[in-house]
């Protein structure tokens, strides 16, 4: 009978869940329950997989700490796929420690990769990087190597290091071919799409064109004055003025930058920054105050001069003004950015990842659903949200992460 367990485990390692189930489907001993749970996870029945793995963990005896720890790691991976970001990280850390202490370094590394991917989803880039560093560079099975390189690529994409991301994805593709698991190859191909799909728009002198991630990266070394709508900053090379907490000032800066070198009328500035349909004297007075505040903020980078019609931006020590805009001007773009990974998200997981209240996220999801931009299934706590099969744009720049430093 042990030969059946070994054969099922090898089938799962090769990405053949049906072959594994053929060998252990009628058995209820602890190893068979664990293997059936992993097989069901590979087939997409995550609820059944979770129940089987928990049953297996209870069935293993007190001397089988490694087997129980492996069940915990498998359940943590299901939680990650299910976007259950509240799954207890301490439980995974304890399982990882157990595996390391018993010499199961491959599964311990897999546990570390799961935690790094969770941290990456939450925008905790530095912590994800430290987690990878703790794992070292010891040899890994091809399938585990794919997972590691996908995390490395994800970190590089968030930091706008395109070449590093391509190199990591090339390594992941080679490892996926060695593993011979089609699902891993598909995941690598999906990650490569982010690098080859327009991820932002560049607005210059009233015209715009799409940018790839590598082109966005090169803007960091540009001598132009850049109004960055992703991070709500105005920057030129190493000099950065953050307006993230001053939305009115940022709106004015963007309007002036989009029109440069022309001026912008007072009426357009009032309409765009204050959302006022009709400008009156109180709006004009407020505009003068806000322009004065913006002048003070942008003094190291640009001047703002009054004209007969309105105001004009005059950059310092550069002849170019650029606006780096989101690929789609969508009120709930950050929510769509997470959902466009194709995985089912709960509203609570989205709230955790976005750092927003659950009610705020729920309202956003309901609004997006009314416009057919997202869809849901399930009810109550089991309700999950997804985008339609073809997402509108890649996610890299919209997901939380640090501002690129130069």
């Amino acid at each position: 009978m042990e030969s059946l367990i070994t054969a099922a485990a090898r089938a799962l390692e090769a990405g053949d869940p049906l072959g594994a189930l053929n060998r252990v489907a009628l058995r209820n001993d602890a190893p068979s329950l664990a293997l059936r749970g992993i097989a069901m996870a590979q087939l997409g029945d995550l609820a059944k997989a979770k129940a089987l793995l928990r049953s297996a963990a209870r069935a293993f005896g007190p001397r089988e700490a490694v087997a129980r720890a492996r069940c915990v790691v498998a359940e943590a991976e299901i939680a990650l796929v299910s976007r259950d970001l509240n799954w207890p990280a301490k439980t995974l850390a304890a399982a990882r420690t157990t595996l390391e202490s018993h010499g199961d370094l491959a599964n311990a590394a897999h546990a570390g990769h799961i935690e790094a991917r969770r941290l990456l989803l939450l925008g905790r880039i530095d912590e994800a990087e430290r987690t990878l560093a703790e794992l070292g560079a010891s040899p890994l099975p091809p399938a585990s190597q794919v997972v590691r390189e996908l995390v490395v690529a994800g970190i590089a994409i968030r930091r706008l290091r395109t070449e590093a991301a391509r190199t990591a994805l090339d390594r992941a593709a080679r490892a996926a071919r060695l593993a011979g698991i089609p699902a891993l190859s598909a995941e690598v191909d999906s990650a490569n799409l982010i690098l080859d799909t327009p991820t932002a728009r560049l607005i210059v002198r009233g015209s715009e064109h799409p940018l790839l991630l590598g082109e966005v990266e090169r803007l960091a070394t540009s001598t132009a004055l850049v109004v960055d709508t992703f991070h709500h900053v105005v920057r030129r090379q190493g000099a950065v003025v953050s307006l993230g907490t001053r939305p009115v000032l940022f709106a004015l800066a963007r309007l002036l930058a989009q029109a440069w070198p022309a001026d912008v009328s007072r009426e357009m500035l009032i309409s765009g920054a204050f959302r006022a349909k009709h400008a009156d004297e109180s709006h004009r007075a407020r505009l003068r105050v806000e322009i004065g505040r913006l002048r003070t903020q942008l003094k190291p980078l640009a001047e703002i001069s009054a004209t007969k019609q309105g105001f004009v931006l005059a950059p310092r020590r550069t002849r170019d003004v650029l606006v780096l805009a989101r690929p789609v001007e969508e009120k709930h773009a950050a929510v769509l950015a997470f959902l466009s990974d194709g995985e089912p998200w709960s509203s609570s997981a989205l709230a955790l990842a976005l750092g927003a209240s659950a009610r705020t996220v729920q309202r956003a999801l309901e609004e997006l659903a009314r416009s057919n931009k997202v869809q849901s299934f399930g009810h109550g706590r089991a309700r999950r949200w997804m985008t339609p099969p073809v997402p509108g744009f890649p996610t890299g720049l919209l997901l939380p992460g640090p501002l690129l430093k130069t």
Side-chain angles (χ1 to χ4, degrees):
M1 295 296 285
E2 288 306 317
S3 62
L4 289 177
I5 296 292
T6 301
R10 287 175 177 168
L12 287 176
E13 188 177 357
D16 180 15
L18 294 178
L21 287 174
N22 283 337
R23 292 168 173 84
V24 296
L26 300 180
R27 295 180 55 172
N28 288 312
D29 54 285
S32 296
L33 288 172
L35 292 171
R36 283 166 58 195
I38 296 171
M40 295 308 295
Q42 290 187 7
L43 290 170
D45 191 343
L46 302 184
K48 182 67 173 177
K50 187 186 299 185
L52 285 166
L53 286 166
R54 288 182 177 177
S55 297
R58 290 192 297 267
F60 281 116
R63 295 184 179 181
E64 297 173 296
V66 171
R68 288 200 306 273
R70 289 172 181 169
C71 290
V72 170
V73 173
E75 187 180 347
E77 187 167 16
I78 290 172
L80 179 71
V81 173
S82 304
R83 296 302 185 255
D84 180 7
L85 302 184
N86 284 310
W87 198 85
K90 290 183 179 179
T91 303
L92 179 60
R96 178 180 162 193
T97 300
T98 298
L99 293 169
E100 287 175 343
S101 65
H102 287 80
D104 188 355
L105 300 183
N107 279 307
H110 188 57
H113 294 149
I114 291 170
E115 176 58 14
R117 296 181 80 174
R118 175 181 172 274
L119 292 168
L120 191 59
L121 278 175
L122 293 172
R124 292 153 62 177
I125 314 300
D126 292 338
E127 293 179 56
E129 205 163 34
R130 284 196 296 271
T131 300
L132 281 188
E134 290 171 4
L135 299 175
S138 57
L140 295 169
S144 296
Q145 185 66 31
V146 174
V147 176
R148 179 183 179 86
E149 296 301 344
L150 284 172
V151 178
V152 172
I155 293 172
I157 287 170
R158 301 288 187 87
R159 295 193 186 282
L160 290 183
R161 297 172 182 167
T162 312
E163 287 307 311
R166 286 193 186 279
T167 301
L169 290 174
D170 287 343
R171 292 195 298 264
R174 289 195 293 271
R177 287 193 293 271
L178 288 174
I181 301 175
L184 286 177
S185 296
E187 191 170 358
V188 175
D189 292 341
S190 178
N192 266 309
L193 284 177
I194 295 176
L195 300 180
D196 299 321
T197 305
T199 193
R201 292 178 298 131
L202 186 67
I203 303 174
V204 186
R205 297 176 184 266
S207 63
E208 64 178 67
H209 64 271
L211 292 181
L212 299 178
L213 198 67
E215 295 172 310
V216 176
E217 179 185 5
R218 287 192 287 275
L219 281 183
T221 58
S222 169
T223 59
L225 182 72
V226 179
V227 176
D228 182 344
T229 70
F230 291 94
H231 299 96
H232 292 89
V233 301
V234 181
R235 55 185 168 87
R236 188 191 65 239
Q237 293 183 309
V240 179
V241 174
S242 176
L243 299 175
T245 60
R246 310 290 292 273
V248 170
L249 297 190
F250 184 78
L252 291 171
R254 177 176 178 173
L255 290 167
L256 292 168
Q258 286 183 169
W260 182 88
D263 62 352
V264 184
S265 70
R266 290 170 177 81
E267 289 72 20
M268 287 186 64
L269 290 171
I270 289 170
S271 174
F274 305 154
R275 305 297 185 207
K277 294 182 179 179
H278 304 288
D280 57 27
E281 195 54 40
S282 66
H283 291 119
R284 293 177 183 275
R286 184 186 176 191
L287 178 63
R288 288 193 293 271
V289 171
E290 300 294 357
I291 286 291
R293 291 171 176 165
L294 185 59
R295 277 198 187 103
T296 301
Q297 292 288 323
L298 296 187
K299 190 173 182 180
L301 301 177
E303 285 282 350
I304 300 176
S305 303
T307 66
K308 184 177 180 180
Q309 299 295 324
F311 295 91
V312 65
L313 189 68
R316 300 179 187 273
R317 295 189 294 277
T318 184
R319 295 182 178 180
D320 295 307
V321 176
L322 315 174
V323 175
L324 181 63
R326 295 172 180 267
V328 176
E329 296 290 353
E330 162 64 54
K331 180 181 177 182
H332 304 299
V335 175
L336 285 174
F338 282 101
L339 292 177
S340 62
D341 68 357
E343 299 294 346
W345 287 74
S346 67
S347 58
S348 60
L350 284 168
L352 181 62
L354 289 164
S357 72
R359 185 62 193 132
T360 297
V361 171
Q362 188 63 43
R363 283 196 296 266
L365 289 168
E366 289 169 357
E367 188 173 329
L368 289 168
R370 284 194 294 271
S371 57
N372 297 317
K373 294 178 180 177
V374 302
Q375 57 194 23
S376 67
F377 60 91
H379 301 280
R381 291 193 173 190
R383 193 177 194 187
R384 293 293 183 268
W385 297 85
M386 299 177 66
T387 55
V390 181
F393 52 89
T395 66
L397 292 180
L398 293 178
L399 299 178
L403 176 64
L404 181 67
K405 297 179 181 179
T406 57

